[in-house]
Amino acid sequence: MEQNCCYHITKDILVNGTPGPATTARSSDDLYDMSCDAQSHDAASPNVCFRFLKEVVALLVKEVLKDGTDVNKKVVEFRHPDELMRILDLELISEPTSNSELLQLCQQIVKYSVKTGHPHFFNQLYGGLDEHGLAGAWMTEALNTSQYTFEVAPVFTLMEKVVLDKMQQLIGFPEGDAIFCPGGSIANMYAINLARFHCFPEVKRKGMNGLPRMCILTSEKGHYSLTKGAALLGLGEDNVVKVTTDAAGRMRADALDSELTRLKSQGLVPVMVNATSGTTVMGSYDPLQPIATICERHGVWLHVDAAWGGSVLLSDKLRYKVKGIERADSVTWNPHKMMGAPLQCSAFFTRHKNLMTESHSTNAVYLFQQDKFYDVSYDTGDKSFQCGRKVDVLKLWLMWKAKGTNCFASEIESAFDCAQYLANKMKVTEGFRLLLEEPECTNVCFWFIPPSLRNQPETKEWWTKLGQDDGGRNDACGLPARRRPCQLLPDGGVQHQLYDREHGLRGAGDRPPWAGLVASLSGAGLVASLSGAGLVASLFGAGLVASLSGGS
Ligand SMILES: *Cc1c(COP(=O)(O)O)cnc(C)c1O
C-alpha cells in the first residue's frame, strides 16, 4: 500500500519552486499523480492532480449532497460515544497514513455525521442546503486567507464592505461601522464592550479598577450569551438584570423604565440595554420604539440582539417587527440563521463610526503599518477582537447575488406564512396547545397533551406529568424515552432533537400520535420538543407544509 511521506522543504523548492527529482514527496505521495492529467502537468506545478481531493469531493457530492438530502435515507447513523470511539480510528500515531486509508476514514466521517441538509433534519438554524452558500464556503476554504489586511484579502475586504454597508442600510444607520465575527454570542460581546467603553473610555487602559459598579439589562427571554459576555468582560453575571416579559415573551417597557430608575438610585451604572428581535425559543420581538425612547431618556446604550429575527429587515412586509431598530446604538444579525448561510456568518453593527477602532486597536506594527503603499483604512484587522479572521462574507454574498434581495425576502415571508399555517392547524387539532396564539416569528411553540391527560384539572401534578420523562418505558408517543436526548427549557418544556429514522418516527409500527403531522420541509428546520407526554416544538425556516390529522 502506498504511503504518504513527510514533505520537506529542499533547496530545489526554494530555488526552483518545485521539488527536485529525489524528494520523498514526489516518489510516494499519491497526491502527486502524473497519470491523471498529463497535459497540464509540468515540472513547475508539483500537485497538478489532487487525486485525493477529487475523491473527497466525489464522496461529498454522493454521500452528503445526494444521499444526504434523500428523504429515503437516514439523517444520521447514531452511535453512542463509546461505540463511535470504537468504530472510528481517530488516534494520531507516529507513522503516516496512506491516502486510501484516509479515504476510508473520510467515508466513515461522513457516514456517522449528521446530514444537516436532510429534509428531515429537524433542528434550529438549519433550512436545507444552499448550493451557492456551499460554493462560497468551499471557495473560502480553498483561498484560505485572513480578513485582517487588504493586502492578503483584497477582494474580500471590498466584498465585506459592500455586504455590511447593504445590511447597515437595511438597519437604517446613517453611518457607522460593522464587522463579521464568529457568531452572535461574540457580536453581543462586541456590544457590551463598546457600550462600556462609550461610558468609560479609560476602561481600555486601566480595566475596571476604580470604576463604579456597572450592569447591563436584558429580558428574561434574552439569549444567554449576554450573561456569558458579562462574565467574560468582568462585569459579572450578578450584574445582568433580567427585565420581565409580557405573555408573548416581549420585554415590558414599563418594567425596563422602573428597573433603570431603581438601579441608578442604588448607585449602579447601567451601561447597556439589550433588546431582542426574535427570542431564541419563542421568537418574540421586544417593542423597540418605547425601549429606544426609555434608553434615550436614561442615556443608556441600546443594543438590539437581532441574531435570530433580524432577517425580517429584508422584507418590506415584515420589517415592521423591528421598527425602531435604526434608533439603536448597535445590532447583532446572524445571516447563518434565518437567511440560511452556512455556519458561521454573523455580523455586528454600530452607529458610532470610529468607536470600534478606538476601543479595540492596539496598532500592532507587524500587521498594520501606516506607511503601506495602499489606503490603509481598508485594513479591518485592528478594530476586531481577533487577529486572524476567517472570511465569512463570500458564502452570503454569493447567495445574495444568486437570489437577489427580493427572493431572499420572499423566502423569509414564506417561512412566516408556513409558521402561521402550522399554528392555525394546531388550533383546530385536538391535543395541541399553542404557547402563543399567534406566532411572533417562525417559531411555533406548543404542547402536545396526550389523551390520558386531556380534560383534567391542570394542577401542578398534571403539569409535572405533562413534562415528565417516563423512566424508560415507551411513552404515549411510542418512543422509548431513554433514546430521546432531552433538554429542559426554562418554561418547563423539554427540547428534544428529532432524528427521523433513528427514532423510528417514520416507521409503521411505532408512529407517535402526532404522526399525523406530516411535515415536508423544503428549506426548513423544525425543533420539536418532546417531554414525556408533552410536546413543545418550534418551527424555523422556510417552506414547511404541514398537515395535521390530530392526536391518537
Ligand atoms: C442564536 C442566538 C444568539 C447566538 O448566536 P451564535 O451565532 O449561536 O453565537 C444570540 N442571540 C439570539 C437571540 C440567538 O437566537
Side-chain angles (χ1 to χ4, degrees), residues 251-494:
M251 182 190 278
R252 279 180 42 203
D254 59 329
L256 172 68
D257 200 8
S258 46
E259 281 292 2
L260 283 167
T261 308
R262 179 183 67 83
L263 292 162
K264 283 173 157 178
S265 74
Q266 292 175 356
L268 273 77
V269 180
V271 289
M272 187 183 102
V273 168
N274 173 71
T276 311
S277 291
T279 57
T280 312
V281 177
M282 302 236 282
S284 316
Y285 283 85
D286 289 348
L288 300 182
Q289 293 285 34
I291 290 173
T293 304
I294 291 163
C295 288
E296 279 159 20
R297 188 146 37 79
H298 285 272
V300 181
W301 182 287
L302 172 60
H303 175 65
V304 176
D305 178 2
W308 166 229
S311 298
V312 296
L313 283 162
L314 292 157
S315 157
D316 291 336
K317 217 172 105 189
L318 294 168
R319 59 172 299 138
Y320 73 91
K321 289 180 177 284
V322 291
K323 200 158 189 284
I325 197 169
E326 70 284 352
R327 296 169 68 187
D329 291 284
S330 56
V331 171
T332 292
W333 178 357
N334 277 5
H336 71 216
K337 291 190 168 174
M338 208 183 283
M339 290 170 86
L343 276 166
Q344 292 171 333
C345 194
S346 172
F348 171 78
F349 302 85
T350 175
R351 65 158 58 251
H352 304 270
K353 200 164 186 270
N354 299 315
L355 208 63
M356 281 174 66
T357 306
E358 286 168 24
S359 170
H360 303 138
S361 70
T362 51
N363 301 310
V365 287
Y366 77 99
L367 274 176
F368 308 115
Q369 303 90 341
Q370 294 305 298
D371 58 349
K372 288 181 187 174
F373 60 92
Y374 59 87
D375 178 355
V376 292
S377 70
Y378 284 92
D379 288 355
T380 59
D382 210 19
K383 70 184 182 195
S384 157
F385 284 168
Q386 299 171 260
C387 174
R389 188 160 61 87
K390 194 173 171 67
V391 174
D392 287 329
V393 69
L394 176 55
K395 50 206 173 199
L396 176 62
W397 177 86
L398 212 53
M399 288 172 77
W400 206 322
K401 198 81 170 166
K403 289 181 205 294
T405 310
N406 291 345
C407 183
F408 246 139
S410 63
E411 282 181 7
I412 286 158
E413 286 162 10
S414 118
F416 274 77
D417 290 345
C418 290
Q420 189 65 57
Y421 178 82
L422 181 64
N424 291 346
K425 284 288 179 191
M426 284 179 173
K427 281 182 204 170
V428 296
T429 306
E430 206 192 346
F432 288 91
R433 183 182 299 174
L434 290 163
L435 265 65
L436 296 182
E437 271 303 292
E438 296 305 320
E440 284 259 307
C441 190
T442 57
N443 315 37
V444 179
C445 295
F446 62 90
W447 287 99
F448 174 71
I449 300 161
S452 62
L453 289 176
R454 282 178 208 163
N455 306 316
Q456 288 178 23
E458 297 179 6
T459 55
K460 211 176 152 207
E461 207 186 12
W462 183 90
W463 278 104
T464 311
K465 263 192 205 156
L466 188 66
Q468 212 166 36
D469 206 326
D470 64 355
R473 284 170 291 115
N474 280 14
D475 63 13
C477 301
L479 304 175
R482 63 190 138 55
R483 290 179 69 197
R484 291 183 276 111
C486 290
Q487 174 202 344
L488 231 96
L489 297 174
D491 293 341
V494 173

Side-chain angles (χ1 to χ4, degrees), residues 32-45 48-50 54:
Y32 190 101
D33 183 343
M34 299 199 243
S35 64
C36 67
D37 194 352
Q39 284 199 322
S40 69
H41 174 254
D42 61 55
S45 50
V48 281
C49 190
F50 294 111
K54 282 180 187 164

